[in-house]
Amino acid sequence: MISLFKIKMGIAPGLQRLAGHRVTDLFNNLDADDSKAIGKDELSKFLTMQKVDLTPVQIDSVMQQFGDNGHLNDDGDIPYETFVSVLTGRLS
C-alpha cells in the first residue's frame, strides 16, 4: 500500500497505519459505491477518513500514474484487478 502512494510524491504522514491491511479488505473499504473500481473521490475520502495526509495534487498524481500506464477503466477509475496487481507487485 505504501509504495503506491510514494509514486511521484514521497512519504505522506498516516500511510504507515494502512500497512498490513488485506488488499481485498482495503479495496472494499475504498469502493464506497460497490462499482468494483475506485474513483478519485473515493480514494480521497478514504484517505481523509484514515488521516492520511495527501494533497489533492498528490492524489491526482496517483490517479495519473495509473492512467499513464493504461490501467484505468473507461470511467477513469482504478479497477479491482489493477488495484490488487499493483499492491501485490504483479502489475508490469
Side-chain angles (χ1 to χ4, degrees):
M1 180 65 181
I2 294 169
S3 63
L4 172 67
F5 295 105
K6 285 184 179 179
I7 299 170
K8 298 184 180 178
M9 64 194 85
I11 297 173
L15 284 178
Q16 296 297 334
R17 261 182 267 125
L18 297 178
H21 281 77
R22 284 183 13 158
V23 174
T24 300
D25 292 340
L26 186 56
F27 181 88
N28 289 335
N29 284 323
L30 287 161
D31 186 21
D33 63 1
D34 292 324
S35 66
K36 304 299 180 223
I38 299 167
K40 179 178 150 185
D41 289 340
E42 290 171 316
L43 179 61
S44 181
K45 287 177 187 176
F46 177 79
L47 293 173
T48 299
M49 287 181 357
Q50 295 297 319
K51 297 184 170 81
V52 175
D53 188 21
L54 290 182
T55 67
V57 171
Q58 290 171 315
I59 292 171
D60 286 344
S61 182
V62 170
M63 297 302 289
Q64 182 180 346
Q65 180 71 29
F66 281 99
D68 288 350
N69 291 311
H71 299 299
L72 296 178
N73 66 15
D74 292 338
D75 295 325
D77 298 337
I78 304 166
Y80 174 77
E81 296 80 13
T82 298
F83 183 81
V84 171
S85 294
V86 166
L87 295 185
T88 58
R90 295 186 306 225
L91 190 63
S92 56

